[in-house]
Amino acid sequence: MISDVLPSMEAVTGEVTKGNTVLISIIDADPEMNKQSFEKLSEGGTVIMPLSSTPWSASFGMLIDKFGVMWKFNSEASKFLDSFINKLNLYY
């Protein structure tokens, strides 16, 4: 998934300028693939959030590569979303 980096994200990303306003998200990748890709892309770049387990992902992290492109990694996000949607359906 590719999305915009909003100016409101500057506190996390640093100055948003023409050329660095794209966020590439890798969603539902295998945690090992996330790790390998994250390590390679972070070389010469800036890690915003190291890969770690979160309530919504077995492997979540964010970085800006050496070219100024922001990357977000998520693994097993669909499992979290499916679980969340199932819980919502119980209430409605």
Side-chain angles (χ1 to χ4, degrees):
M1 178 176 85
I2 298 176
S3 61
D4 297 327
V5 176
L6 301 173
S8 61
M9 294 181 67
E10 282 186 321
V12 175
T13 64
E15 184 179 2
V16 176
T17 60
K18 186 176 181 178
N20 73 351
T21 58
V22 173
L23 170 62
I24 300 173
S25 297
I26 307 298
I27 301 172
D28 277 344
D30 174 75
E32 186 58 33
M33 186 197 128
N34 271 0
K35 181 181 176 191
Q36 292 174 7
S37 300
F38 192 92
E39 287 173 357
K40 289 289 186 185
L41 286 167
S42 65
E43 291 174 5
T46 303
V47 173
I48 296 171
M49 181 177 177
L51 281 179
S52 61
S53 179
T54 63
W56 65 88
S57 176
S59 173
F60 178 85
M62 292 179 70
L63 64 88
I64 299 172
D65 70 18
K66 65 184 176 183
F67 302 106
V69 177
M70 185 180 303
W71 294 81
K72 180 169 65 172
F73 294 83
N74 241 325
S75 68
E76 303 173 354
S78 63
K79 288 181 183 178
F80 171 78
L81 291 174
D82 289 345
S83 170
F84 183 73
I85 289 169
N86 287 337
K87 287 177 185 174
L88 283 178
N89 288 336
L90 292 174
Y91 294 110
Y92 294 101

